[in-house]
Amino acid sequence: MTNALRITVWNENVHEREDSEVAALYPSGIHGAIAEGLRDLLPEATVSTATLEEPEHGLTEDRLAETDVLFWWGHGAHDAVDEAIVERVAERVLAGMGLVVLHSGHFSRIFIRLMGTTCSLSWRDDGDRELLWTVAPGHPIAEGVPDPLVVPAHETYGEFFDVPAPEELIFVSNFSGGEVFRSGLTYRRGRGRIFYFSPGDQKYPIYQQPDIRRVLANAAEWARPEGERAIPTVTNRPRGWFEG
Amino acid sequence: MTNALRITVWNENVHEREDSEVAALYPSGIHGAIAEGLRDLLPEATVSTATLEEPEHGLTEDRLAETDVLFWWGHGAHDAVDEAIVERVAERVLAGMGLVVLHSGHFSRIFIRLMGTTCSLSWRDDGDRELLWTVAPGHPIAEGVPDPLVVPAHETYGEFFDVPAPEELIFVSNFSGGEVFRSGLTYRRGRGRIFYFSPGDQKYPIYQQPDIRRVLANAAEWARPEGERAIPTVTNRPRGWFEG
Amino acid sequence: MTNALRITVWNENVHEREDSEVAALYPSGIHGAIAEGLRDLLPEATVSTATLEEPEHGLTEDRLAETDVLFWWGHGAHDAVDEAIVERVAERVLAGMGLVVLHSGHFSRIFIRLMGTTCSLSWRDDGDRELLWTVAPGHPIAEGVPDPLVVPAHETYGEFFDVPAPEELIFVSNFSGGEVFRSGLTYRRGRGRIFYFSPGDQKYPIYQQPDIRRVLANAAEWARPEGERAIPTVTNRPRGWFEG
Amino acid sequence: MTNALRITVWNENVHEREDSEVAALYPSGIHGAIAEGLRDLLPEATVSTATLEEPEHGLTEDRLAETDVLFWWGHGAHDAVDEAIVERVAERVLAGMGLVVLHSGHFSRIFIRLMGTTCSLSWRDDGDRELLWTVAPGHPIAEGVPDPLVVPAHETYGEFFDVPAPEELIFVSNFSGGEVFRSGLTYRRGRGRIFYFSPGDQKYPIYQQPDIRRVLANAAEWARPEGERAIPTVTNRPRGWFEG
C-alpha cells in the first residue's frame, strides 16, 4: 500500500581511507556497513550511499528529491561540507524528509543548523562499556531492541549535551566510567522528523552489531515522511478563504 | 515583596521508629533532616513537618491551606495513607500547591494519583555510587548544584521508570552497577507544579548532604504557587461574556 | 506483515435511546457511526462495538485482550461506568492498548484516571462554527486532513482545558464565538498511546463528516501497540544481570 | 538578594521614522513604548533601548554583557541586521541571556538562527479582534493576565507557525476572522530562555495596553538568567575526574 522506503546513507568517508584500523573495521566504509544493515532488515527499502568526495557531496537536488530518509555520519570533515548543500538538506528536512544523525554527526553543520544550539558534549575515548536503556517502551524506535542494549566498548559521550530538549527521549546511556548520555532523541522540524542516535565511533565495530542495526532500521521507518512534502511558507489569504 | 514561602515536610516516619540503624542516621526523622536543610538554606521560609501518625496524617484542610509547597517521603506505609487525604492533597496540588515527591514516594498514592501510571521502576539495594548529571543547566532547580552531584553509596533505581514523559528533565543518574535513572523530573498538573527527585533511601545519609539540600531548597522555590490558588472547574458562560 | 488492526468502539449509548433527535441523527448509535467510518477507511481492520448496558459494559477481559485500539464516547452516564472496569481498561492502556477519547469523554472516569487532572473545560452549546487548524503538519494523525477542518455547527469547548500538557499538539480549534480549544492531543502512558479529539457532540452530525472520519482512522493506526503488550512492573535484579 | 534585572529593548525603528501613522502611535518608538511599560511595572529593573541605526546596532559586546534579557522587535529590516551581530546575540542567549521575540520578529535572523525552522506563518492585516487565552494557568508569564486578554483590533497571525514545538505553550489566540495562533511560546536553548509573543503590529496601539505590558514584564522576569553565564562547550576530561 505504501511506497517502498528510499534511504540514502551519507558518510564523509575520511577515516576509512586514511586510517588502516578503521579501514579494517569498515572495509566498505561506515556507510557501507550501515547500508548493509538497513538492506538486511528492510528488504523492501531502496538503500543507497553518498559521500563527501562525490560532486555536490552526492547530495544533488535530484538525489534528495528521491530520498525519504537521510542518514548522516561525519566527524573530522564537518567544515568541508559546503554550506549550500547544508542549506539544501535543511530545506528538504523542513519539507518532510527524515534525517538520522549519528554519533559525531552531533557537530555536523546540518545538525547545528537545525538545532540552533552548539550541540557540544563531553567525551573521552577510553573503551567504556556503554549500556543503552530504553526510557520509552512502546515507541516504534525501541521495538525489538534489547533493554539494555550492550555495547561492549565504545567512546564515551557525556552530558551536558547542548541540544534542545527532545520531543521524545528514547534511550539513555550509562558508561562504565560514570557518565550518562541522552543517546536516542527525536525532534520534528517543519514537516520533517529527526532522530539523533549517539553510537558509533569509527574505532569500534558498532554498525555490525545486530541490535544497533535494529535501531537504525526502526528509525528509518519512523522518520519517513507522511503525505505531501513541502517546505512551510508564509501565506496571506483573504478573510474567510476556507469557506464554501 | 513576595510573601514568605510556607513549606510542609511530610514523612510516614516508620523506619525511624522501627529500625535502629535508620534512627541512628535520622535521629529527628527523615522529615527532620529535610526540614533542617530547608531552614538552613531558606531562612525566610516557614518550614513545618507532618507525619502519618498525626490526626488526618497532619494534613488537615487548614494545614494544607497554609502550605505553599509540600514535600512527601513514604516507603513502607503507602497503603496506610487515607484515600480521602490523598484526594485532598491532589485537589490542593491542582489548585496550585507545589509538591515535591522524594525517592520511594514514587509508589505513594498521591504520586500515582497525579501521574496516572504505575510509577514502577527497577531497584537493587547494593550501595552503588550514584552520580546525578545535570541535563538542564540554567534551570532554577539545578542552580548551584555540582555537576555531577556525587552520592557515594545509595540504593539503585533503574529504568524503566513508568511515569509520563516529564515536562522538564533536570537530572539523570548513573549508577556504578550500570543502571541509569531519570532522577529529577518536573510536571505541571492543574495550576500546581510537581518535582520528583529520586534520592534518598532511609539507609543512607542522603538528606544531610549539602548538595542534596541545595536541590531541595531550589525545588521548594521553583514549586511555589504563582497568583491565586483555585482548582480548575467547568464553566458555562454566555456568548461574548468577555466583552465590554 | 503486520496483523490486522482490531478496534473496539465503546459508547454509553444513552442519548440515542432517550432523545429522539439524537436517535434521528445516529440511528445505529454514535458507536455505529464511528464504526462505519472506521470500516470504510480501514477495510483491513476488524471493528466491533460495545456499550454500557452490556455485561461488564462489553469490556470483558477477553474482549480487551483482543482490542488494539479502544474508542470511548460517553457523556451523561460517566458515573454508571464501574470502577473495576475503568481500572481494567487503564491497565490495558498502560500495557500497550491504544485509547482514543472523544468529545465529552473528557469527563469519563477512564480519562481522568489516566490524566490525573480534573479534565474540566468551558463549554457553551450555541451552534458555533468550529475550525480545526493543524499545528503539526507531517504528523500521521493529520495526514489527509484539510487545514482547517470545518465543522459548520458544534458545541463550543473552550480553554482552560485542565489536562497535562500534551506530548504532541495536533489540532487547535477556533470557535466563532471567540473561544479556542486544544482539540487534538497525544499522550503516552506506560506502553500505551492516548489521543483525545474534541469533536463531536451528540446533537450534531459530526461522525458522518468524512474529514472527521479521516482523523479517527488516522488515530486508530497511530495508537496501535508496538511490540509486546505488558504493563510495566517493579523489578529487582541482581547486579550485572544484563551481562553475558 | 537578587541583583536588579537589566533589560535592553531592541527595535529596528524604521516604521516610526518612515510612516507618520506609526510615528503618531509610537512617538518615542516601539522600543520607547515597550521600555516605558517595563519601567512602570518593574521599577527596580534597569531598562535601556538599542536600535538598528546605532553602531553595531547598539548591541556591542559590552552592552550584551550587561543585558540579562533582550527584547527584539523587527519587521521590514531583518536583512539589514549584520550576521556577525546575530551570531553574537545567539551566543549570548546560549550562554544564558534571556530573549523575548515580539510579533514580526518571528522572521528576524536571530529567531530563525535559534529555532532552525522557517518560522513562517499565515497573516492578514484586517483589523481582527484577537483574544489571547491562557492555556498554562499558574505559569509565571500568565500571572495577573486577564483570560482572555482582549486586543480589540490587530493584524491576524495564523497557523501553521513553523517553529519547533514549544516547551511550554502559554497563550493561544482566537482571531475573529477564524484563525488561531500559538501566541505565547517558551523555549530553552543552551543556558538561555526564549519567549516568543505574537502581539503587536506597528499599526495598532498594542504596547500601550496594560495587559500586554504585564505579559512583557512577566516574560522579562521569567527569562532572566539563573547562575553563571557561559556558553556550553565541548569537554574532554580524564576518567573519574569528578572523584575526590
Side-chain angles (χ1 to χ4, degrees):
Chain A
M1 190 166 68
T2 46
N3 295 320
L5 182 60
R6 301 165 301 174
I7 302 172
T8 299
V9 180
W10 189 91
N11 179 20
E12 62 175 39
N13 194 30
V14 174
H15 294 298
E16 299 91 324
R17 292 183 294 133
E18 298 185 351
D19 184 329
S20 61
E21 292 185 32
V22 177
L25 275 177
Y26 291 106
S28 58
I30 288 172
H31 52 294
I34 293 170
E36 181 185 85
L38 292 168
R39 288 188 189 109
D40 189 44
L41 292 171
L42 302 172
E44 297 179 15
T46 303
V47 182
S48 62
T49 64
T51 58
L52 180 67
E53 69 270 24
E54 297 175 35
E56 304 184 43
H57 310 324
L59 301 173
T60 61
E61 290 282 10
D62 286 352
R63 168 66 74 91
L64 290 174
E66 292 169 1
T67 297
D68 293 319
V69 180
L70 178 67
F71 281 68
W72 194 278
W73 199 101
H75 182 214
H78 295 315
D79 290 349
V81 179
D82 192 82
E83 284 288 4
I85 306 295
V86 170
E87 196 57 29
R88 180 188 293 171
V89 172
E91 290 182 4
R92 284 284 168 182
V93 172
L94 298 175
M97 183 180 74
L99 178 68
V100 178
V101 176
L102 297 169
H103 191 60
S104 44
H106 73 89
F107 260 167
S108 64
R109 284 181 163 172
I110 182 61
F111 194 57
I112 292 172
R113 160 68 179 80
L114 288 165
M115 295 291 105
T117 54
T118 67
C119 301
S120 57
L121 47 72
S122 86
W123 65 279
R124 184 180 61 253
D125 191 7
D126 205 20
D128 272 4
R129 179 198 61 195
E130 178 177 0
L131 303 171
L132 292 97
W133 297 88
T134 296
V135 299
H139 193 283
I141 295 179
E143 170 61 13
V145 179
D147 182 22
L149 188 166
V150 182
V151 176
H154 196 213
E155 182 184 28
T156 298
Y157 271 14
E159 298 285 344
F160 173 61
F161 184 22
D162 179 28
V163 284
E167 290 170 45
E168 299 170 309
L169 179 63
I170 314 294
F171 302 114
V172 175
S173 287
N174 173 300
F175 289 90
S176 49
E179 280 78 8
V180 295
F181 197 69
R182 291 171 293 169
S183 44
L185 310 175
T186 77
Y187 299 91
R188 286 178 290 132
R189 290 294 182 270
R191 294 181 66 92
R193 295 171 174 214
I194 302 170
F195 180 59
Y196 175 79
F197 186 56
S198 64
D201 189 72
Q202 71 276 1
K203 298 182 190 166
Y204 303 87
I206 304 293
Y207 296 119
Q208 291 83 349
Q209 199 171 326
D211 300 336
I212 297 285
R213 291 182 166 191
R214 168 56 59 197
V215 174
L216 300 184
N218 288 348
E221 291 195 310
W222 170 84
R224 73 182 303 165
E226 302 277 341
E228 63 162 346
R229 292 169 63 167
I231 195 164
T233 53
V234 71
T235 56
N236 175 223
R237 292 172 173 133
R239 190 179 197 84
W241 64 269
F242 43 77
E243 292 170 341
Chain B
M1 190 166 66
T2 46
N3 295 320
L5 181 61
R6 301 165 303 173
I7 302 171
T8 299
V9 180
W10 190 90
N11 178 20
E12 61 176 38
N13 194 32
V14 172
H15 294 298
E16 300 92 323
R17 292 183 293 132
E18 298 184 352
D19 182 328
S20 60
E21 291 185 33
V22 178
L25 275 177
Y26 290 107
S28 58
I30 288 172
H31 52 294
I34 293 170
E36 182 185 84
L38 293 170
R39 287 187 189 110
D40 189 43
L41 292 171
L42 302 171
E44 296 179 14
T46 302
V47 182
S48 63
T49 63
T51 57
L52 181 67
E53 68 270 25
E54 297 175 36
E56 304 184 42
H57 310 324
L59 299 173
T60 60
E61 289 282 11
D62 286 353
R63 168 66 75 92
L64 291 175
E66 292 169 359
T67 297
D68 293 319
V69 180
L70 178 67
F71 281 68
W72 193 279
W73 199 100
H75 182 214
H78 295 315
D79 290 350
V81 179
D82 192 82
E83 284 288 4
I85 306 295
V86 171
E87 196 57 28
R88 181 188 293 171
V89 172
E91 290 182 3
R92 284 285 168 181
V93 171
L94 297 175
M97 184 180 74
L99 178 68
V100 179
V101 175
L102 298 169
H103 191 60
S104 44
H106 73 89
F107 259 168
S108 63
R109 286 181 161 173
I110 183 62
F111 193 58
I112 292 172
R113 161 68 178 78
L114 287 165
M115 295 293 104
T117 53
T118 66
C119 300
S120 57
L121 46 72
S122 85
W123 66 278
R124 183 179 64 252
D125 190 7
D126 205 20
D128 271 4
R129 179 198 61 193
E130 178 176 0
L131 302 172
L132 291 97
W133 297 89
T134 295
V135 299
H139 193 282
I141 294 179
E143 169 61 14
V145 178
D147 181 24
L149 189 165
V150 182
V151 177
H154 196 212
E155 182 184 28
T156 298
Y157 272 14
E159 299 284 344
F160 174 60
F161 184 23
D162 179 28
V163 285
E167 290 172 45
E168 299 170 310
L169 179 64
I170 313 294
F171 301 114
V172 175
S173 288
N174 173 299
F175 289 89
S176 49
E179 280 79 7
V180 295
F181 197 70
R182 291 171 293 169
S183 44
L185 311 175
T186 77
Y187 299 93
R188 288 178 290 131
R189 290 295 182 269
R191 294 182 65 91
R193 293 170 177 215
I194 302 170
F195 180 58
Y196 176 79
F197 187 56
S198 64
D201 190 72
Q202 71 276 0
K203 299 182 189 166
Y204 302 87
I206 305 292
Y207 296 119
Q208 290 85 347
Q209 199 170 327
D211 299 337
I212 296 286
R213 289 182 167 191
R214 169 54 61 197
V215 174
L216 300 184
N218 288 348
E221 290 195 312
W222 171 85
R224 71 182 305 166
E226 301 278 340
E228 64 162 344
R229 292 168 61 168
I231 195 165
T233 53
V234 70
T235 55
N236 176 223
R237 292 173 173 133
R239 192 178 194 83
W241 64 268
F242 43 77
E243 292 170 339
Chain C
M1 188 167 66
T2 47
N3 295 320
L5 181 61
R6 300 165 302 173
I7 302 171
T8 299
V9 180
W10 189 91
N11 179 20
E12 60 175 39
N13 194 30
V14 173
H15 294 298
E16 299 91 324
R17 293 183 294 132
E18 298 184 351
D19 183 329
S20 61
E21 292 185 32
V22 178
L25 276 176
Y26 290 107
S28 58
I30 287 172
H31 52 293
I34 293 170
E36 182 185 83
L38 292 168
R39 287 186 189 111
D40 188 44
L41 292 171
L42 302 171
E44 296 180 15
T46 304
V47 182
S48 62
T49 64
T51 58
L52 181 67
E53 68 269 25
E54 297 175 35
E56 303 185 45
H57 311 324
L59 300 173
T60 61
E61 289 283 9
D62 286 352
R63 167 66 74 92
L64 291 175
E66 292 169 1
T67 297
D68 293 318
V69 180
L70 178 67
F71 282 68
W72 193 278
W73 200 100
H75 182 214
H78 294 316
D79 289 350
V81 179
D82 191 82
E83 283 289 4
I85 305 295
V86 170
E87 197 56 29
R88 181 188 293 171
V89 172
E91 289 181 6
R92 284 285 169 181
V93 171
L94 297 175
M97 183 180 73
L99 178 68
V100 178
V101 176
L102 298 169
H103 191 61
S104 44
H106 73 90
F107 259 168
S108 64
R109 285 182 163 171
I110 182 62
F111 193 59
I112 292 172
R113 161 67 178 80
L114 287 165
M115 295 292 105
T117 53
T118 66
C119 301
S120 57
L121 45 73
S122 86
W123 64 279
R124 185 180 61 252
D125 190 7
D126 204 21
D128 271 4
R129 178 198 63 197
E130 179 176 0
L131 302 172
L132 292 97
W133 297 89
T134 295
V135 299
H139 193 283
I141 295 180
E143 169 60 13
V145 178
D147 182 23
L149 188 166
V150 182
V151 177
H154 196 214
E155 182 184 27
T156 298
Y157 270 13
E159 298 285 343
F160 174 60
F161 184 22
D162 179 28
V163 285
E167 289 171 47
E168 298 169 310
L169 179 64
I170 314 293
F171 303 114
V172 175
S173 288
N174 173 300
F175 288 90
S176 48
E179 280 78 7
V180 295
F181 196 69
R182 291 170 292 168
S183 43
L185 310 175
T186 77
Y187 299 92
R188 286 178 291 131
R189 289 295 182 269
R191 294 181 67 91
R193 294 171 176 215
I194 302 170
F195 180 59
Y196 175 79
F197 186 57
S198 62
D201 189 72
Q202 72 277 359
K203 297 181 190 168
Y204 303 86
I206 304 293
Y207 296 119
Q208 290 84 348
Q209 199 170 327
D211 299 337
I212 296 286
R213 289 182 167 191
R214 169 55 59 199
V215 175
L216 300 185
N218 288 348
E221 291 195 312
W222 171 84
R224 73 183 302 164
E226 302 277 342
E228 63 162 345
R229 291 167 65 167
I231 195 164
T233 53
V234 71
T235 56
N236 176 223
R237 292 170 172 136
R239 191 179 195 83
W241 63 270
F242 44 77
E243 291 170 340
Chain D
M1 191 165 64
T2 46
N3 295 321
L5 182 60
R6 300 165 302 174
I7 302 171
T8 299
V9 180
W10 190 91
N11 179 20
E12 61 175 39
N13 194 31
V14 173
H15 294 298
E16 300 91 324
R17 293 183 294 132
E18 299 184 351
D19 182 330
S20 60
E21 291 184 33
V22 178
L25 275 178
Y26 291 107
S28 57
I30 287 172
H31 52 293
I34 293 170
E36 181 185 84
L38 292 169
R39 287 186 189 111
D40 188 44
L41 293 171
L42 302 172
E44 296 179 15
T46 302
V47 182
S48 63
T49 63
T51 58
L52 181 66
E53 68 269 27
E54 297 175 35
E56 302 184 44
H57 310 324
L59 300 173
T60 60
E61 290 282 10
D62 287 352
R63 167 66 74 91
L64 291 174
E66 292 169 1
T67 297
D68 293 319
V69 180
L70 178 67
F71 281 68
W72 194 278
W73 199 100
H75 182 214
H78 295 316
D79 289 351
V81 179
D82 191 82
E83 284 288 5
I85 306 295
V86 170
E87 197 57 28
R88 181 188 293 170
V89 172
E91 289 181 5
R92 284 285 169 180
V93 171
L94 298 175
M97 184 180 73
L99 178 68
V100 179
V101 176
L102 298 169
H103 190 61
S104 42
H106 73 90
F107 259 166
S108 63
R109 286 182 161 172
I110 182 61
F111 193 57
I112 292 172
R113 161 70 178 77
L114 288 165
M115 295 292 105
T117 53
T118 67
C119 302
S120 58
L121 46 74
S122 85
W123 66 279
R124 183 179 64 251
D125 190 7
D126 204 21
D128 271 4
R129 178 198 62 194
E130 178 176 1
L131 302 172
L132 292 98
W133 297 89
T134 295
V135 299
H139 193 283
I141 294 179
E143 169 61 14
V145 178
D147 182 22
L149 188 166
V150 182
V151 177
H154 197 213
E155 183 185 26
T156 298
Y157 270 13
E159 300 284 344
F160 172 61
F161 184 23
D162 179 28
V163 285
E167 290 172 45
E168 298 169 310
L169 179 63
I170 314 294
F171 302 113
V172 175
S173 288
N174 172 300
F175 288 89
S176 48
E179 280 79 5
V180 296
F181 196 70
R182 290 171 293 168
S183 44
L185 311 175
T186 78
Y187 298 92
R188 287 180 290 132
R189 289 295 182 270
R191 294 182 66 92
R193 295 170 177 215
I194 302 170
F195 180 59
Y196 175 79
F197 187 57
S198 63
D201 188 73
Q202 71 277 359
K203 298 182 190 166
Y204 302 87
I206 304 292
Y207 296 119
Q208 289 86 347
Q209 199 170 329
D211 299 336
I212 296 287
R213 290 182 167 191
R214 169 54 61 197
V215 174
L216 300 185
N218 288 348
E221 290 195 311
W222 171 83
R224 72 182 304 165
E226 304 277 339
E228 64 162 344
R229 292 167 64 167
I231 196 165
T233 53
V234 71
T235 56
N236 176 224
R237 291 172 173 133
R239 192 179 194 83
W241 64 269
F242 43 77
E243 292 170 340

